[in-house]
Amino acid sequence: MKAPQVGFVSLGCPKALVDSERIITKLRSEGYEISANYDDADLVVVNTCGFIDSAVEESLESIGEAIAHNGKVIVTGCLGSRDNTIRERHPQVLEITGAHALEEVVGAVHKHLPQPHDPFISLVPPEGIKLTPRHYAYLKISEGCNHRCTFCIIPSMRGDLVSRPVNQVIAEAKRLADAGVKEILVISQDTSAYGVDLKYAEYEWQGEKIATRFTAMAKALGELGIWVRMHYVYPYPHVDDVIPLMAEGKILPYLDIPFQHASPRILKLMKRPASSQNNLERIRAWRAICPEITLRSTFIVGFPGETEAEFEELLDFLDQAQLDKAGAFKYSPVDGAVANELPDPVPEEVKEQRLARFMAKQAEISAQRLQQKVGKRDFVIIDEVVEEGAVGRSRADAPEIDGQVFIDHATHLKVGDIVEVEFEEADEHDLWARLV
């Protein structure tokens, strides 16, 4: 008898991707097949994003496409918290659940597509089913967020911070490493707040007590002998404690810190922690301890009330901070966000101009910083081998959001290899290198 097949559409950020991986792992362990297309699927699960209006629209269009091609659709993810929005556009959806709702989604699948066999017979590898390439994986350490940033509705969709016990996190990382994963990308809504909800409780791991705390977790992950990359790190003071681990080569010298702005008044309106001056001092201190550290960040331009002088303050911050990589978004009203009610909205054409100016400034900085790498050596992880050679990422590059390293003629390399190279050329985003 043919096993029932479930189609899967996963939208949004890496945190949502991890949710999709967990749902698929659970379904596969119960004997369901995962279909690569709508036609062969007995039903389709759509994992949605609801962070900004364009993401909501993309999610609604994807639900509509799944209904048009298949007819039987279950919706989960962040947009699931807005049941009425989905039902108004697509009343024929079978079930709707919110974000990180593993049991509810699986239960909905059971209801409309009964289990094919005894769920105690495992049909999946110990590391679970991954949607990323085999050589890297996302490791989600917590759900939700305790901040109430005025531009964000994530807490209303994903709730307050809920950290996973540290022994569970490290055990999952070890399973991934044992399965051949070479790089782990640590993600959450607020990575540096990890464990605060558990009062930094200690758990036993391989005969030792480890606190459920950002720095303790980083140290333990650093013992696995694979690349460990930190994302979504708020600049709290205790983040300073992981910089020596980077200098020692235990974890990658890379921090993804969403600063969002530099103007004290705008940061206050956003309800963001820290000030731009404190952040500049911290950056200088981090670089003193670990000169090769790579800093990536994201910013919002055109936030309600942002003056030209405050935008210039942001550009000045970029000049002083010399971030290796930075992206920006125009402020976009999100249904339910407090910032929508703030006075003095910035006109759309001004937002566009400021975004262009920001990106031009950062491109100039990025190009200069990459040019400084020419003639130097670093390690590169190979993501793809093509006719011309190999394509990889240095320790300074996260998948999909950062640059790439192109190695001509290195067609003998394999995906997942980590090799030493010398950089020969650079542009605004990418590097060209030769094998050492």
Side-chain angles (χ1 to χ4, degrees), residues 219-231:
K219 187 176 181 182
L221 292 176
E223 298 300 323
L224 294 176
I226 59 176
W227 285 14
V228 177
R229 192 181 298 278
M230 296 293 178
H231 286 275

Side-chain angles (χ1 to χ4, degrees), residues 2 50 62 70 76 90 121 135 149 175 256 294 306 325 367:
K2 186 184 174 193
S62 295
N70 184 276
T76 186
H90 303 298
I121 299 173
H135 60 293
C149 300
R175 285 196 300 273
D256 173 11
T294 295
E306 181 190 62
K325 303 153 196 298

Side-chain angles (χ1 to χ4, degrees), residues 259-267 270 275-277 279 299-300 310 313-318:
F259 289 124
Q260 304 297 12
H261 213 278
S263 158
R265 191 183 76 89
I266 296 296
L267 286 168
M270 289 178 169
S275 71
S276 60
Q277 190 53 46
N279 288 337
F299 296 85
I300 295 173
E310 286 164 335
E313 203 171 343
L314 174 54
L315 295 184
D316 184 57
F317 175 84
L318 290 182

Side-chain angles (χ1 to χ4, degrees), residues 179-237:
V181 168
K182 304 288 185 66
E183 176 183 13
I184 282 176
L185 301 103
V186 176
I187 57 169
S188 68
Q189 298 301 145
D190 180 359
T191 297
S192 36
Y194 175 64
V196 67
D197 56 309
L198 297 177
K199 298 186 170 64
Y200 307 117
E202 291 188 338
Y203 293 87
E204 189 167 311
W205 170 252
Q206 295 186 338
E208 289 185 29
K209 292 277 191 181
I210 301 179
T212 304
R213 187 186 291 269
F214 175 54
T215 48
M217 174 198 66
K219 187 176 181 182
L221 292 176
E223 298 300 323
L224 294 176
I226 59 176
W227 285 14
V228 177
R229 192 181 298 278
M230 296 293 178
H231 286 275
Y232 313 117
V233 180
Y234 278 67
Y236 304 139

Side-chain angles (χ1 to χ4, degrees), residues 99-110:
H100 56 91
L102 169 65
E103 297 303 329
E104 291 92 330
V105 177
V106 173
V109 173
H110 291 168

Side-chain angles (χ1 to χ4, degrees), residues 142-146 159-163 188-190 193-197:
S142 64
E143 288 289 356
C145 183
N146 288 343
D160 288 338
L161 180 75
V162 179
S163 301
S188 68
Q189 298 301 145
D190 180 359
Y194 175 64
V196 67
D197 56 309

Side-chain angles (χ1 to χ4, degrees), residues 29-43:
S29 73
E30 294 181 349
Y32 292 95
E33 295 289 340
I34 304 303
S35 173
N37 56 65
Y38 293 123
D39 294 337
D40 294 335
D42 297 296
L43 63 77

Side-chain angles (χ1 to χ4, degrees), residues 287-356:
R287 285 178 171 148
I289 296 167
C290 182
E292 59 182 356
I293 191 171
T294 295
L295 297 176
R296 138 168 287 286
S297 191
T298 50
F299 296 85
I300 295 173
V301 300
F303 191 78
E306 181 190 62
T307 64
E308 176 62 23
E310 286 164 335
F311 176 69
E312 290 283 354
E313 203 171 343
L314 174 54
L315 295 184
D316 184 57
F317 175 84
L318 290 182
D319 270 330
Q320 294 187 66
Q322 290 289 299
L323 300 173
D324 300 271
K325 303 153 196 298
F329 303 91
K330 292 183 301 179
Y331 174 75
S332 170
V334 180
D335 191 21
V338 175
N340 298 345
E341 309 305 318
L342 291 173
D344 305 318
V346 177
E348 193 62 31
E349 62 271 22
V350 176
K351 288 185 201 174
E352 291 279 3
Q353 291 166 4
R354 289 180 182 171
L355 179 63

